[in-house]
Every structure is written in structure tokens, then in C-alpha cells.
């Protein structure tokens, strides 16, 4: 996958153009198809269909159309397997652009359930694929910071991810020479749902070593090292978390939240207050019906989620 990394001041993302890098030129019916599809897009045609047998070069044709119209593109596939295949093909065709992969990150998901006949409650359970979660964050970051983006997705792309404005506005911008207290930086990272872990430095965590803070964002393969001199940021670097080697020095970097559902604290408090009010209404509803078991169950589950939201800003199954 592409590692967007900190934005380069020398080459803004908005200046990049789609460019196909293929070992051959359009041939056969491809030039006519590219011209027709591009013209249809320019005229605002809502639906167009590209026909072709297997191996006829439909993916390449679509790539040349993207190069022609120069627009961010969403490619929706039927399943994860086909999406992965298309992702690899587009990556090879657009080596200089952001080609991203966005599919469901669940390896296993069991919704909560209640078997009334035996009074059995089955808690919700899920297993999240960390690598796919990283790719989803990479796609989100690219969409917010670049114009040359192709996202290959499954139908999971149609589900909400919270408010993009919150995700973007909560991003933490750090610059060399910036006056910033180290403790305040640590608090901001916690607010962005990063966890401190000085032993297991993995994505979504940060660690502290004296006047140095290292953050491993949920996107990309490089971590960010922020070195302080007093209350001033002295140096920002990108490093390989595996061997600790410095990859590059950066004048500035942008750290996005570690969770898609991160929201500002004031909005979280408002939401939690509304949940409390709704909870009281439902408890009274079940009590009036004489269903004390349901009243107790909904209170226990909701209180647990509220505590998780208060402590971490996030709870399991929030999506």
C-alpha cells in the first residue's frame, strides 16, 4: 500500500495527477472505449457499462479513463477477494498515486442476542483484522489529504464511519519550532484514542523516552518521532519501527485519530447525556410492562458502554 506519511511542503498532494504506468498502450477497441467513457463522464451520464470478456483489459481501460478524467475514484467489488485482486492491479498501474484498500475489518462478528426461552444472553463478540484496519485508516487519510486517490472497496464502504469533519478537524499538526508542552502533546494523543505503550510499539500507540515522543499512526508503515528542547519541538522524523532507522526528517506532520469514530470531547459529552436520557426512558418502559429482566439487562449493557465511552472515547460495536 502507499505510505502517505507527512505531507511534503515541496509537493502538495493537490498537485499530483493520475498517471498510468503500463508496459503497453491502448489497443484494439480500448481507445474507442476510453474516449466514449471519458466523454460520457464529461457530459454527466449517470450510468455507463464497459463490456468485455475475461482478459480483455477492462481494468487497464478503466485506468486510462481515470487518467483522462483526473478524478478521485471509488471501485466497488463484489467481495474481499476480488477487491484485493483489483487493488494489486491498480497499485501496479498507478505507482505514483494513492491506491487504497477499504473492506470490512471483521474476521469474525457475532451480534448480541437473547434467547428468551432459556433466558440466555449472548454478548456481542468480534475479531478485528489489524492489517485491514490499518488499510482503512490509510484510505481515510488519503481522501482527506490528497486528490489523486483510488479506493478499491467492498460493499462495507457504504456504511458510515462517523463524521469526516470530526476526523479531519481533530487531526494534530506538529511543526518544528512549535511551542508545545510535552505533557499536553501526550494528552492530545490520548484524546485521539492512541494508547501509551513503552514496550510493545504497535500501530495506534505512542511511547515516551525522555524528551522524545514516538507515535505509530494507524496508517502507513512509518512511525513519527518528535524531539523536544524544553517546550519547543526541536525535530520531527519518520522512522522504521522495526529497526529504528530514520527514514527522513520532516518540517511538519499531521497525526489523525486512531479510531474512525473519534469525536471532540464536548460532542461526546452531549451524546452521552442523550444516551442517559434515552436509557431512563427505556428502563421505565420495561418496568411499566413488568419486564424487570429486560430493564436490568438494558441498564447493565448501556452503563457498561457509557463507562467505556467516558474512559476511552470508544466502545465495542460503536459502528
Amino acid at each position: 500500500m502507499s505510505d502517505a506519511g507527512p505531507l511534503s511542503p515541496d509537493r502538495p498532494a493537490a498537485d499530483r495527477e493520475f498517471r498510468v504506468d503500463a508496459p503497453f498502450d491502448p489497443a484494439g477497441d480500448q481507445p474507442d472505449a476510453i474516449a466514449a467513457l471519458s466523454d460520457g463522464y464529461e457530459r454527466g451520464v449517470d450510468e455507463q457499462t464497459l463490456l468485455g470478456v475475461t482478459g480483455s483489459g477492462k481494468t487497464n481501460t478503466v485506468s486510462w479513463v481515470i487518467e483522462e478524467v483526473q478524478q478521485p475514484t471509488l471501485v466497488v467489488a463484489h467481495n474481499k477477494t476480488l477487491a484485493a485482486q483489483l487493488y494489486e492491479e491498480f497499485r501496479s498501474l498507478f505507482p505514483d498515486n494513492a491506491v487504497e484498500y477499504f473492506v470490512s475489518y471483521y474476521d469474525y462478528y457475532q451480534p448480541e442476542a437473547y434467547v428468551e426461552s432459556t433466558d440466555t444472553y449472548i454478548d456481542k463478540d468480534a475479531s478485528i483484522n489489524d492489517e485491514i484496519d490499518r488499510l482503512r485508516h490509510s484510505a481515510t487519510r488519503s481522501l482527506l489529504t490528497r486528490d489523486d486517490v483510488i479506493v478499491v472497496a467492498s460493499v462495507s464502504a457504504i456504511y458510515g464511519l462517523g463524521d469526516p469533519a470530526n476526523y479531519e478537524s481533530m487531526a494534530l499538526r506538529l511543526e518544528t519550532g512549535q511551542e508545545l508542552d510535552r505533557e499536553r502533546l501526550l494528552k492530545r494523543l490520548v484524546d485521539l484514542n492512541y494508547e501509551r505503550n513503552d514496550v510493545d510499539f504497535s500501530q495506534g500507540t505512542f511511547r515516551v523516552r525522555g524528551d522524545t515522543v514516538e507515535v505509530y499512526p494507524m496508517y502507513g508503515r512509518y512511525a513519527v518521532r518528535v524531539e523536544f528542547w524544553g517546550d519547543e519541538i526541536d525535530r520531527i522524523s519518520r522512522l522504521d519501527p522495526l529497526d529504528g532507522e530514520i527514514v527522513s526528517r520532516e518540517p511538519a506532520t499531521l497525526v489523525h485519530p486512531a479510531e474512525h469514530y473519534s469525536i471532540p470531547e464536548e460532542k461526546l459529552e452531549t451524546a452521552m447525556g442523550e444516551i442517559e436520557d434515552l436509557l431512563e426512558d427505556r428502563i421505565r418502559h420495561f418496568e411499566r410492562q413488568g419486564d424487570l429482566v429486560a430493564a436490568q439487562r438494558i441498564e447493565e449493557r448501556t452503563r457498561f458502554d457509557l463507562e467505556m465511552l467516558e474512559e476511552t472515547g470508544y466502545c465495542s460495536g460503536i459502528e
Side-chain angles (χ1 to χ4, degrees):
M1 64 151 270
S2 59
D3 175 36
L7 296 182
S8 169
D10 301 322
R11 190 184 183 194
D15 291 345
R16 298 190 181 102
E17 293 185 350
F18 287 107
R19 185 181 66 81
V20 175
D21 184 7
F24 43 79
D25 296 322
D29 293 332
Q30 288 179 329
D32 291 338
I34 295 166
L37 291 170
S38 301
D39 179 65
Y41 172 81
E42 296 295 340
R43 290 188 290 107
V45 176
D46 291 333
E47 297 179 4
Q48 299 186 87
T49 302
L50 175 64
L51 300 177
V53 299
T54 301
S56 60
K58 295 187 294 298
T59 302
N60 283 82
T61 301
V62 170
S63 298
W64 282 309
V65 171
I66 294 173
E67 182 183 50
E68 183 69 25
V69 301
Q70 290 293 319
Q71 291 294 325
T73 303
L74 171 64
V75 180
V76 179
H78 303 85
N79 53 55
K80 289 183 180 180
T81 303
L82 179 57
Q85 176 185 335
L86 290 171
Y87 169 62
E88 291 298 331
E89 291 179 2
F90 279 113
R91 280 184 66 195
S92 65
L93 290 167
F94 291 95
D96 299 325
N97 304 114
V99 179
E100 306 290 355
Y101 185 63
F102 193 100
V103 300
S104 172
Y105 55 25
Y106 289 117
D107 286 334
Y108 166 76
Y109 183 79
Q110 172 186 280
E112 60 183 356
Y114 174 64
V115 182
E116 189 172 5
S117 59
T118 58
D119 191 29
T120 303
Y121 173 73
I122 303 173
D123 197 3
K124 57 190 172 188
D125 187 24
S127 174
I128 292 178
N129 187 305
D130 292 335
E131 177 64 14
I132 292 179
D133 192 26
R134 178 178 72 85
L135 293 171
R136 287 163 64 94
H137 277 275
S138 176
T140 306
R141 175 181 168 85
S142 292
L143 287 169
L144 293 174
T145 58
R146 305 178 63 153
D147 290 331
D148 61 325
V149 184
I150 300 171
V151 178
V152 182
S154 65
V155 292
S156 67
I158 69 176
Y159 296 101
L161 280 178
D163 189 344
N166 290 334
Y167 188 88
E168 185 172 18
S169 65
M170 291 181 69
L172 175 61
R173 181 174 177 82
L174 302 173
E175 301 177 356
T176 54
Q178 178 182 349
E179 292 285 340
L180 179 66
D181 179 74
R182 193 199 69 163
E183 295 304 315
R184 186 179 178 188
L185 171 60
L186 301 185
K187 184 179 183 303
R188 285 284 286 116
L189 290 173
V190 172
D191 290 341
L192 295 179
N193 294 115
Y194 286 89
E195 297 181 3
R196 179 170 178 172
N197 194 323
D198 295 334
V199 179
D200 181 17
F201 190 46
S202 56
Q203 287 178 314
T205 67
F206 67 92
R207 63 187 177 190
V208 184
R209 297 175 174 176
D211 290 333
T212 299
V213 179
E214 294 177 348
V215 186
Y216 199 168
M218 287 298 297
Y219 41 85
R221 62 181 294 256
Y222 297 119
V224 177
R225 174 179 292 168
V226 182
E227 300 174 62
F228 284 86
W229 179 262
D231 289 339
E232 180 180 309
I233 296 178
D234 183 51
R235 186 161 50 191
I236 298 174
S237 312
R238 276 203 299 169
L239 71 149
D240 191 323
L242 296 179
D243 55 23
E245 292 294 322
I246 299 296
V247 176
S248 63
R249 303 292 185 188
E250 302 292 336
T253 189
L254 203 60
V255 180
H256 284 281
E259 294 287 351
H260 277 117
Y261 300 93
S262 299
I263 62 174
E265 187 173 350
E266 60 274 12
K267 288 190 176 182
L268 178 60
E269 291 177 354
T270 300
M272 290 175 62
E274 293 176 357
I275 293 171
E276 288 269 11
D277 294 338
L278 290 171
L279 172 61
E280 294 300 328
D281 288 341
R282 297 308 295 170
I283 291 174
R284 288 194 296 269
H285 168 76
F286 287 122
E287 288 177 342
R288 285 195 300 268
Q289 290 188 334
D291 194 346
L292 300 182
V293 174
Q296 180 186 19
R297 186 180 305 111
I298 195 171
E299 181 174 18
E300 288 178 352
R301 294 302 306 154
T302 308
R303 294 289 180 200
F304 177 80
D305 285 346
L306 284 171
E307 289 178 12
M308 289 294 295
L309 287 170
E310 184 176 5
E311 294 297 325
T312 68
Y314 178 82
C315 71
S316 176
I318 192 171
E319 62 279 355

